[in-house]
């Protein structure tokens, strides 16, 4: 994939300017965004903003060996620490001096890295804080030849001003093909029959399999790999359904796949193929309760992430016969223990994380990561960046609370969307006393995109890749600015996020014009939620949030507070916004931890409460 030189703006942006006879009025002109370098805060990585001054430069003696290497020429030096396809190496050599040094110890890597402008690794090399410190500021980019970046210290990279890029697309087809191979091998007992014959046995009756034609396959996670598995399964005559709360239904329909709810998917499928990312919400999603709701004799394939399955629960389901067979390419811990009951189970087919292991995929990954690294060294903005450079402290000190507000509003808005329809259209409205040319909203738009996308995917979003990621997912983000009377010393009066053409888990979040709407302000440096749908509220965006729509009557705060108190759930704040006395009201309750489901049920059982939702901030 070629790197892009500047972020595209998949958005139209309208401006509201002031006139002499009104505080604010709408002007039908448009902003033309002028692409210019704009670094991003370390909070893009989900950590606190770093407002400390950069460390003092390190002065060191340059050895003759250092001078010799630097004197090779003006070309940058790229260290390739693990094997890379020849096509990728050729691309790198056309631009830089390439040092292929494999199987380096941590000490050897630290010794070499100060002489390198870029480093390329796979999954076996740990790029730790010590590596970035040893680089002494020279290392400009780290390329991960693959998708996962667990072996790279992103925080240390960002603090060092080092870009980290990966290669997320080249192995899509390989992973999908491996998923199909495991489905077929499992259905026909290929691995077991092969082992039996090699043991000198001829057991035709023992290894009678099942046909795939006419069977229902549930794709759990309808992203790139999931949709490719679906296409191939349709060609095998399978009936394919899919569950993905945020996948566009029109994309599924285009390949003959029906999007359904989680319970319907797992309860009706003969085969279940897992393709979701590992996030806090998907960790051990397939557990005893999930298996209990499945068909007797269901078959499960996992080429996604090992942690989405509770492996002990899967062993119990296999022993009971609830799950007839499983085929696994990934595990919670890799490599798994040699005495793992799951790996040794006779009903399980296993492979050692081979999803991306084809000659073609490895060459594709090599080219993709080489292009990203070369582009980054040229100063281009890499579309596959998973972090971004540091922001000057003076810029962050002004925008820091608004950056946090923007991400939390995006995170809040997407949680209010009901699954099924998919998020396609987002509108962001900024209210500010500043002239539009004095307020660059790309950073805020990126954080809203981050808040919307990251909770539902494994994608890292930052200023570098936000617009690209949104466009790739079919997400259109438009912006509108309202100029109001006030002090231009304050960057923003408010930020409003609207998601159109979706259903909501909390109907009161739907505005009078029909979209999910949330708005927030910064008060005394703290982000606050000030509007949900058409209801005004005033709550600090910290911890977790419970929203309740209720009949406005005395005693409601006490009732809800008593339930939470009885369950030892600490309340940090409460706020009630209403349309009119004795009509309807929205109660917003901040809680430090997620209440038990039974606690939330008790709140919902209060007669005057018409609906409620729990939201993680």
């Amino acid at each position: 994939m070629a790197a892009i030189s500047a972020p595209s703006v998949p958005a139209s942006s309208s401006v509201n300017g002031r006139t002499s006879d009104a505080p604010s009025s709408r002007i039908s002109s448009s902003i033309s965004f002028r692409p210019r370098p704009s670094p991003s805060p370390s909070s893009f990585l989900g950590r606190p903003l770093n407002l400390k001054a950069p460390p003092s430069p390190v002065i060191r003696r340059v050895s003759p060996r250092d001078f010799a290497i630097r004197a090779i020429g003006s070309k940058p030096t790229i260290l390739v620490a693990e094997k890379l396809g020849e096509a990728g190496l050729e691309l790198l050599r056309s631009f830089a001096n390439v040092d292929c040094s494999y199987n380096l110890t941590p000490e050897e890597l630290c010794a070499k890295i100060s002489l390198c402008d870029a480093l390329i690794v796979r999954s076996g090399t740990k790029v730790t804080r010590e590596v970035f410190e040893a680089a002494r500021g020279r290392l400009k980019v780290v390329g991960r030849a693959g998708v996962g970046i667990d072996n790279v210290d992103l925080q240390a990279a960002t603090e060092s001003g080092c870009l980290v890029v990966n290669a997320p697309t080249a192995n899509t087809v390989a992973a999908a093909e491996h998923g199909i191979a495991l489905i077929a091998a499992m259905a026909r007992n290929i691995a077991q029959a092969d082992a039996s014959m090699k043991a000198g046995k001829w057991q035709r009756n023992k290894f009678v399999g099942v046909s795939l034609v006419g069977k229902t396959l549930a794709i759990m996670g309808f992203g790139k790999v999931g949709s490719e598995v679906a296409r191939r399964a349709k060609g095998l005559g399978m009936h394919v359904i899919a569950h993905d709360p945020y996948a566009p239904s029109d994309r599924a329909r285009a390949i003959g796949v029906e999007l359904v709810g989680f319970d319907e998917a797992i309860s009706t499928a003969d085969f279940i193929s897992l393709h979701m990312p590992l996030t806090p919400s998907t960790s051990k999603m397939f557990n005893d309760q999930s298996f209990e709701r499945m068909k007797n004799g269901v078959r499960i394939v996992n080429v996604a992430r090992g942690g989405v399955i509770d492996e002990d629960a899967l062993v119990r389901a296999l022993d009971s016969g609830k799950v007839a067979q499983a085929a696994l390419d990934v595990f919670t811990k890799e490599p798994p223990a040699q005495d793992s009951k799951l790996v040794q189970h006779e009903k399980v087919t296993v492979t050692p994380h081979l999803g991306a292991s084809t000659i073609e995929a490895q060459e594709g990954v090599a080219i993709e990561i080489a292009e990203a690294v070369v582009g980054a060294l040229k100063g281009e903005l890499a579309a596959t960046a998973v972090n971004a450079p540091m922001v000057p402290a003076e810029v962050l000190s002004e925008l820091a609370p608004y950056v946090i507000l923007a991400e939390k509003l995006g995170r809040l808005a997407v949680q209010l969307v009901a699954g099924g329809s998919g998020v396609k259209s987002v509108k962001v409205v900024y209210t500010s006393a500043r002239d539009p040319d004095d307020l660059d909203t790309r950073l805020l738009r990126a954080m809203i995109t981050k808040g919307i996308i990251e909770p539902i995917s494994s994608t890292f979003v930052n200023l570098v890749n936000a617009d690209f990621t949104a466009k790739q997912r079919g997400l259109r983000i438009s912006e509108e600015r309202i100029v109001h009377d006030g002090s231009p010393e304050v960057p923003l009066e408010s930020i409003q996020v609207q998601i159109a053409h979706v259903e909501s888990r909390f109907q009161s979040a739907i505005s009078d014009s029909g979209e999910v709407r949330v708005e927030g302000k910064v008060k005394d440096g703290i982000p606050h939620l000030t509007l949900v749908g058409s209801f005004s509220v005033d709550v600090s965006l910290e911890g977790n949030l419970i929203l309740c729509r209720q009949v406005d009557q005395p005693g409601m705060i006490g009732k809800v507070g008593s339930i939470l108190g009885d369950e030892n759930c600490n309340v940090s704040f409460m706020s009630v916004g209403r349309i009119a006395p004795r009509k309807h009201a929205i109660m917003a309750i901040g809680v430090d931890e997620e209440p038990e489901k039974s606690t939330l049920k008790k709140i919902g059982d209060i007669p005057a409460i018409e609906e409620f939702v729990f939201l993680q901030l």
Side-chain angles (χ1 to χ4, degrees), residues 132-169:
F132 290 107
E133 291 174 350
R136 301 181 182 184
R138 180 170 175 179
L139 190 64
K140 302 297 188 299
V141 57
V142 172
R144 163 68 169 95
V147 179
I149 39 79
D150 297 343
N151 56 317
V152 180
D153 188 329
L154 290 177
Q155 180 68 18
T158 302
E159 291 175 5
S160 302
C162 180
L163 197 67
V164 179
V165 295
N166 67 349
T169 63

mmCIF file of all heavy atoms in Angstrom, residues 132-169:
data_model
loop_
_atom_site.group_PDB
_atom_site.id
_atom_site.type_symbol
_atom_site.label_atom_id
_atom_site.label_comp_id
_atom_site.label_asym_id
_atom_site.label_seq_id
_atom_site.Cartn_x
_atom_site.Cartn_y
_atom_site.Cartn_z
ATOM 1 N N PHE A 132 14.154 2.468 22.264
ATOM 2 C CA PHE A 132 13.964 3.858 21.849
ATOM 3 C C PHE A 132 14.949 4.781 22.561
ATOM 4 O O PHE A 132 15.455 5.744 21.962
ATOM 5 C CB PHE A 132 12.525 4.290 22.119
ATOM 6 C CG PHE A 132 11.523 3.631 21.218
ATOM 7 C CD1 PHE A 132 10.681 2.636 21.696
ATOM 8 C CD2 PHE A 132 11.438 3.978 19.880
ATOM 9 C CE1 PHE A 132 9.766 2.014 20.866
ATOM 10 C CE2 PHE A 132 10.528 3.362 19.036
ATOM 11 C CZ PHE A 132 9.696 2.373 19.523
ATOM 12 N N GLU A 133 15.236 4.511 23.818
ATOM 13 C CA GLU A 133 16.212 5.324 24.540
ATOM 14 C C GLU A 133 17.602 5.143 23.949
ATOM 15 O O GLU A 133 18.372 6.112 23.830
ATOM 16 C CB GLU A 133 16.197 4.956 26.023
ATOM 17 C CG GLU A 133 14.909 5.394 26.734
ATOM 18 C CD GLU A 133 14.844 4.904 28.166
ATOM 19 O OE1 GLU A 133 15.700 4.075 28.552
ATOM 20 O OE2 GLU A 133 13.925 5.335 28.901
ATOM 21 N N ALA A 134 17.936 3.915 23.557
ATOM 22 C CA ALA A 134 19.249 3.650 22.957
ATOM 23 C C ALA A 134 19.385 4.309 21.588
ATOM 24 O O ALA A 134 20.497 4.603 21.139
ATOM 25 C CB ALA A 134 19.464 2.145 22.841
ATOM 26 N N ALA A 135 18.257 4.543 20.905
ATOM 27 C CA ALA A 135 18.303 5.168 19.580
ATOM 28 C C ALA A 135 18.739 6.623 19.654
ATOM 29 O O ALA A 135 19.198 7.184 18.655
ATOM 30 C CB ALA A 135 16.935 5.072 18.912
ATOM 31 N N ARG A 136 18.603 7.269 20.804
ATOM 32 C CA ARG A 136 19.066 8.639 21.047
ATOM 33 C C ARG A 136 18.522 9.623 20.016
ATOM 34 O O ARG A 136 19.214 10.540 19.562
ATOM 35 C CB ARG A 136 20.588 8.686 21.076
ATOM 36 C CG ARG A 136 21.180 7.784 22.152
ATOM 37 C CD ARG A 136 22.676 7.846 22.205
ATOM 38 N NE ARG A 136 23.190 6.927 23.228
ATOM 39 C CZ ARG A 136 24.458 6.818 23.544
ATOM 40 N NH1 ARG A 136 25.375 7.564 22.930
ATOM 41 N NH2 ARG A 136 24.848 5.969 24.480
ATOM 42 N N GLY A 137 17.256 9.414 19.646
ATOM 43 C CA GLY A 137 16.578 10.371 18.781
ATOM 44 C C GLY A 137 16.743 10.145 17.300
ATOM 45 O O GLY A 137 16.100 10.818 16.492
ATOM 46 N N ARG A 138 17.612 9.205 16.897
ATOM 47 C CA ARG A 138 17.817 9.011 15.455
ATOM 48 C C ARG A 138 16.701 8.184 14.821
ATOM 49 O O ARG A 138 16.333 8.410 13.661
ATOM 50 C CB ARG A 138 19.166 8.347 15.201
ATOM 51 C CG ARG A 138 19.420 8.131 13.709
ATOM 52 C CD ARG A 138 20.812 7.703 13.369
ATOM 53 N NE ARG A 138 20.927 7.408 11.944
ATOM 54 C CZ ARG A 138 22.046 7.017 11.346
ATOM 55 N NH1 ARG A 138 23.163 6.890 12.047
ATOM 56 N NH2 ARG A 138 22.056 6.755 10.053
ATOM 57 N N LEU A 139 16.153 7.227 15.534
ATOM 58 C CA LEU A 139 15.144 6.327 14.970
ATOM 59 C C LEU A 139 13.873 7.109 14.627
ATOM 60 O O LEU A 139 13.236 7.703 15.493
ATOM 61 C CB LEU A 139 14.828 5.213 15.966
ATOM 62 C CG LEU A 139 13.962 4.054 15.458
ATOM 63 C CD1 LEU A 139 14.665 3.287 14.343
ATOM 64 C CD2 LEU A 139 13.612 3.115 16.609
ATOM 65 N N LYS A 140 13.499 7.100 13.358
ATOM 66 C CA LYS A 140 12.352 7.875 12.889
ATOM 67 C C LYS A 140 11.087 7.045 12.716
ATOM 68 O O LYS A 140 9.981 7.548 12.830
ATOM 69 C CB LYS A 140 12.681 8.542 11.544
ATOM 70 C CG LYS A 140 13.889 9.464 11.573
ATOM 71 C CD LYS A 140 13.672 10.655 12.498
ATOM 72 C CE LYS A 140 14.807 11.663 12.352
ATOM 73 N NZ LYS A 140 16.129 11.115 12.692
ATOM 74 N N VAL A 141 11.240 5.759 12.385
ATOM 75 C CA VAL A 141 10.063 4.934 12.114
ATOM 76 C C VAL A 141 10.355 3.478 12.456
ATOM 77 O O VAL A 141 11.458 2.980 12.208
ATOM 78 C CB VAL A 141 9.600 5.075 10.635
ATOM 79 C CG1 VAL A 141 10.714 4.717 9.682
ATOM 80 C CG2 VAL A 141 8.370 4.229 10.355
ATOM 81 N N VAL A 142 9.365 2.817 13.051
ATOM 82 C CA VAL A 142 9.401 1.376 13.280
ATOM 83 C C VAL A 142 8.303 0.752 12.437
ATOM 84 O O VAL A 142 7.139 1.161 12.525
ATOM 85 C CB VAL A 142 9.191 1.025 14.766
ATOM 86 C CG1 VAL A 142 9.028 -0.487 14.940
ATOM 87 C CG2 VAL A 142 10.357 1.519 15.606
ATOM 88 N N GLY A 143 8.660 -0.228 11.618
ATOM 89 C CA GLY A 143 7.684 -0.922 10.783
ATOM 90 C C GLY A 143 7.432 -2.320 11.311
ATOM 91 O O GLY A 143 8.382 -3.088 11.501
ATOM 92 N N ARG A 144 6.183 -2.640 11.547
ATOM 93 C CA ARG A 144 5.793 -3.987 11.994
ATOM 94 C C ARG A 144 5.232 -4.731 10.798
ATOM 95 O O ARG A 144 4.173 -4.380 10.287
ATOM 96 C CB ARG A 144 4.771 -3.890 13.126
ATOM 97 C CG ARG A 144 3.991 -5.171 13.413
ATOM 98 C CD ARG A 144 4.853 -6.283 14.005
ATOM 99 N NE ARG A 144 3.993 -7.365 14.490
ATOM 100 C CZ ARG A 144 3.674 -8.445 13.791
ATOM 101 N NH1 ARG A 144 4.142 -8.616 12.551
ATOM 102 N NH2 ARG A 144 2.894 -9.372 14.318
ATOM 103 N N ALA A 145 5.956 -5.745 10.325
ATOM 104 C CA ALA A 145 5.534 -6.520 9.148
ATOM 105 C C ALA A 145 4.428 -7.484 9.566
ATOM 106 O O ALA A 145 4.657 -8.664 9.790
ATOM 107 C CB ALA A 145 6.712 -7.263 8.550
ATOM 108 N N GLY A 146 3.225 -6.974 9.658
ATOM 109 C CA GLY A 146 2.058 -7.725 10.093
ATOM 110 C C GLY A 146 1.058 -6.770 10.709
ATOM 111 O O GLY A 146 1.193 -5.540 10.595
ATOM 112 N N VAL A 147 0.063 -7.322 11.396
ATOM 113 C CA VAL A 147 -1.011 -6.487 11.938
ATOM 114 C C VAL A 147 -0.740 -6.087 13.380
ATOM 115 O O VAL A 147 -0.745 -4.911 13.738
ATOM 116 C CB VAL A 147 -2.365 -7.224 11.849
ATOM 117 C CG1 VAL A 147 -3.474 -6.354 12.432
ATOM 118 C CG2 VAL A 147 -2.680 -7.585 10.409
ATOM 119 N N GLY A 148 -0.535 -7.066 14.264
ATOM 120 C CA GLY A 148 -0.415 -6.792 15.687
ATOM 121 C C GLY A 148 0.814 -5.975 16.028
ATOM 122 O O GLY A 148 1.875 -6.141 15.426
ATOM 123 N N ILE A 149 0.694 -5.087 17.018
ATOM 124 C CA ILE A 149 1.827 -4.265 17.445
ATOM 125 C C ILE A 149 2.064 -4.430 18.946
ATOM 126 O O ILE A 149 2.574 -3.530 19.608
ATOM 127 C CB ILE A 149 1.624 -2.786 17.059
ATOM 128 C CG1 ILE A 149 0.172 -2.324 17.251
ATOM 129 C CG2 ILE A 149 2.021 -2.538 15.625
ATOM 130 C CD1 ILE A 149 -0.218 -2.016 18.617
ATOM 131 N N ASP A 150 1.704 -5.604 19.484
ATOM 132 C CA ASP A 150 1.897 -5.865 20.906
ATOM 133 C C ASP A 150 3.367 -5.847 21.307
ATOM 134 O O ASP A 150 3.686 -5.645 22.488
ATOM 135 C CB ASP A 150 1.302 -7.228 21.286
ATOM 136 C CG ASP A 150 -0.200 -7.273 21.072
ATOM 137 O OD1 ASP A 150 -0.792 -6.195 20.948
ATOM 138 O OD2 ASP A 150 -0.762 -8.373 21.031
ATOM 139 N N ASN A 151 4.263 -6.091 20.355
ATOM 140 C CA ASN A 151 5.691 -6.164 20.673
ATOM 141 C C ASN A 151 6.407 -4.826 20.557
ATOM 142 O O ASN A 151 7.620 -4.748 20.694
ATOM 143 C CB ASN A 151 6.389 -7.191 19.776
ATOM 144 C CG ASN A 151 6.180 -6.911 18.296
ATOM 145 O OD1 ASN A 151 5.078 -6.590 17.876
ATOM 146 N ND2 ASN A 151 7.223 -7.047 17.505
ATOM 147 N N VAL A 152 5.649 -3.750 20.312
ATOM 148 C CA VAL A 152 6.236 -2.411 20.202
ATOM 149 C C VAL A 152 5.662 -1.535 21.307
ATOM 150 O O VAL A 152 4.440 -1.462 21.479
ATOM 151 C CB VAL A 152 5.947 -1.775 18.826
ATOM 152 C CG1 VAL A 152 6.564 -0.383 18.736
ATOM 153 C CG2 VAL A 152 6.464 -2.663 17.702
ATOM 154 N N ASP A 153 6.523 -0.861 22.048
ATOM 155 C CA ASP A 153 6.084 0.060 23.099
ATOM 156 C C ASP A 153 5.643 1.361 22.441
ATOM 157 O O ASP A 153 6.456 2.239 22.133
ATOM 158 C CB ASP A 153 7.226 0.308 24.080
ATOM 159 C CG ASP A 153 6.788 1.098 25.312
ATOM 160 O OD1 ASP A 153 5.861 1.919 25.185
ATOM 161 O OD2 ASP A 153 7.375 0.884 26.392
ATOM 162 N N LEU A 154 4.331 1.490 22.211
ATOM 163 C CA LEU A 154 3.801 2.645 21.494
ATOM 164 C C LEU A 154 4.008 3.939 22.255
ATOM 165 O O LEU A 154 4.280 4.994 21.661
ATOM 166 C CB LEU A 154 2.319 2.439 21.198
ATOM 167 C CG LEU A 154 1.965 1.381 20.153
ATOM 168 C CD1 LEU A 154 0.463 1.251 20.024
ATOM 169 C CD2 LEU A 154 2.575 1.717 18.805
ATOM 170 N N GLN A 155 3.838 3.897 23.567
ATOM 171 C CA GLN A 155 4.012 5.105 24.358
ATOM 172 C C GLN A 155 5.446 5.619 24.247
ATOM 173 O O GLN A 155 5.687 6.814 24.052
ATOM 174 C CB GLN A 155 3.666 4.836 25.822
ATOM 175 C CG GLN A 155 3.828 6.045 26.743
ATOM 176 C CD GLN A 155 2.833 7.145 26.467
ATOM 177 O OE1 GLN A 155 1.817 6.908 25.818
ATOM 178 N NE2 GLN A 155 3.130 8.341 26.927
ATOM 179 N N ALA A 156 6.415 4.717 24.373
ATOM 180 C CA ALA A 156 7.820 5.116 24.263
ATOM 181 C C ALA A 156 8.119 5.638 22.859
ATOM 182 O O ALA A 156 8.874 6.606 22.696
ATOM 183 C CB ALA A 156 8.733 3.940 24.597
ATOM 184 N N ALA A 157 7.527 5.005 21.840
ATOM 185 C CA ALA A 157 7.736 5.466 20.471
ATOM 186 C C ALA A 157 7.217 6.888 20.297
ATOM 187 O O ALA A 157 7.881 7.748 19.699
ATOM 188 C CB ALA A 157 7.041 4.526 19.487
ATOM 189 N N THR A 158 6.044 7.153 20.826
ATOM 190 C CA THR A 158 5.443 8.479 20.686
ATOM 191 C C THR A 158 6.260 9.524 21.430
ATOM 192 O O THR A 158 6.508 10.620 20.924
ATOM 193 C CB THR A 158 3.999 8.455 21.203
ATOM 194 O OG1 THR A 158 3.271 7.473 20.477
ATOM 195 C CG2 THR A 158 3.333 9.802 21.008
ATOM 196 N N GLU A 159 6.676 9.186 22.639
ATOM 197 C CA GLU A 159 7.491 10.122 23.408
ATOM 198 C C GLU A 159 8.802 10.430 22.692
ATOM 199 O O GLU A 159 9.342 11.534 22.824
ATOM 200 C CB GLU A 159 7.781 9.545 24.792
ATOM 201 C CG GLU A 159 6.554 9.471 25.685
ATOM 202 C CD GLU A 159 6.843 8.787 27.003
ATOM 203 O OE1 GLU A 159 8.025 8.462 27.255
ATOM 204 O OE2 GLU A 159 5.898 8.588 27.794
ATOM 205 N N SER A 160 9.299 9.478 21.915
ATOM 206 C CA SER A 160 10.556 9.661 21.173
ATOM 207 C C SER A 160 10.336 10.325 19.824
ATOM 208 O O SER A 160 11.293 10.548 19.080
ATOM 209 C CB SER A 160 11.248 8.307 20.970
ATOM 210 O OG SER A 160 11.506 7.678 22.200
ATOM 211 N N GLY A 161 9.087 10.586 19.475
ATOM 212 C CA GLY A 161 8.795 11.168 18.172
ATOM 213 C C GLY A 161 8.989 10.188 17.042
ATOM 214 O O GLY A 161 9.238 10.580 15.897
ATOM 215 N N CYS A 162 8.854 8.888 17.332
ATOM 216 C CA CYS A 162 9.070 7.836 16.336
ATOM 217 C C CYS A 162 7.730 7.300 15.852
ATOM 218 O O CYS A 162 6.886 6.887 16.655
ATOM 219 C CB CYS A 162 9.908 6.711 16.941
ATOM 220 S SG CYS A 162 10.242 5.355 15.793
ATOM 221 N N LEU A 163 7.533 7.308 14.551
ATOM 222 C CA LEU A 163 6.300 6.796 13.964
ATOM 223 C C LEU A 163 6.329 5.270 13.935
ATOM 224 O O LEU A 163 7.373 4.673 13.641
ATOM 225 C CB LEU A 163 6.151 7.336 12.543
ATOM 226 C CG LEU A 163 4.762 7.251 11.899
ATOM 227 C CD1 LEU A 163 3.787 8.161 12.620
ATOM 228 C CD2 LEU A 163 4.851 7.647 10.429
ATOM 229 N N VAL A 164 5.200 4.642 14.238
ATOM 230 C CA VAL A 164 5.072 3.184 14.144
ATOM 231 C C VAL A 164 4.021 2.879 13.083
ATOM 232 O O VAL A 164 2.910 3.397 13.129
ATOM 233 C CB VAL A 164 4.667 2.565 15.493
ATOM 234 C CG1 VAL A 164 4.526 1.048 15.355
ATOM 235 C CG2 VAL A 164 5.679 2.905 16.581
ATOM 236 N N VAL A 165 4.395 2.041 12.108
ATOM 237 C CA VAL A 165 3.474 1.667 11.034
ATOM 238 C C VAL A 165 3.387 0.148 10.973
ATOM 239 O O VAL A 165 4.303 -0.558 11.394
ATOM 240 C CB VAL A 165 3.929 2.226 9.664
ATOM 241 C CG1 VAL A 165 3.884 3.739 9.661
ATOM 242 C CG2 VAL A 165 5.332 1.742 9.321
ATOM 243 N N ASN A 166 2.268 -0.354 10.477
ATOM 244 C CA ASN A 166 2.116 -1.802 10.315
ATOM 245 C C ASN A 166 1.622 -2.120 8.911
ATOM 246 O O ASN A 166 1.517 -1.234 8.060
ATOM 247 C CB ASN A 166 1.191 -2.380 11.391
ATOM 248 C CG ASN A 166 -0.247 -1.913 11.254
ATOM 249 O OD1 ASN A 166 -0.554 -1.002 10.479
ATOM 250 N ND2 ASN A 166 -1.139 -2.510 12.033
ATOM 251 N N ALA A 167 1.337 -3.400 8.657
ATOM 252 C CA ALA A 167 0.891 -3.862 7.340
ATOM 253 C C ALA A 167 -0.390 -4.662 7.525
ATOM 254 O O ALA A 167 -0.358 -5.898 7.597
ATOM 255 C CB ALA A 167 1.976 -4.708 6.674
ATOM 256 N N PRO A 168 -1.546 -3.994 7.599
ATOM 257 C CA PRO A 168 -2.770 -4.668 8.018
ATOM 258 C C PRO A 168 -3.590 -5.342 6.929
ATOM 259 O O PRO A 168 -4.538 -6.058 7.237
ATOM 260 C CB PRO A 168 -3.575 -3.523 8.636
ATOM 261 C CG PRO A 168 -3.166 -2.325 7.841
ATOM 262 C CD PRO A 168 -1.717 -2.542 7.486
ATOM 263 N N THR A 169 -3.278 -5.105 5.649
ATOM 264 C CA THR A 169 -4.190 -5.574 4.603
ATOM 265 C C THR A 169 -3.687 -6.756 3.787
ATOM 266 O O THR A 169 -4.482 -7.485 3.205
ATOM 267 C CB THR A 169 -4.516 -4.426 3.624
ATOM 268 O OG1 THR A 169 -3.307 -4.015 2.969
ATOM 269 C CG2 THR A 169 -5.105 -3.235 4.365
#
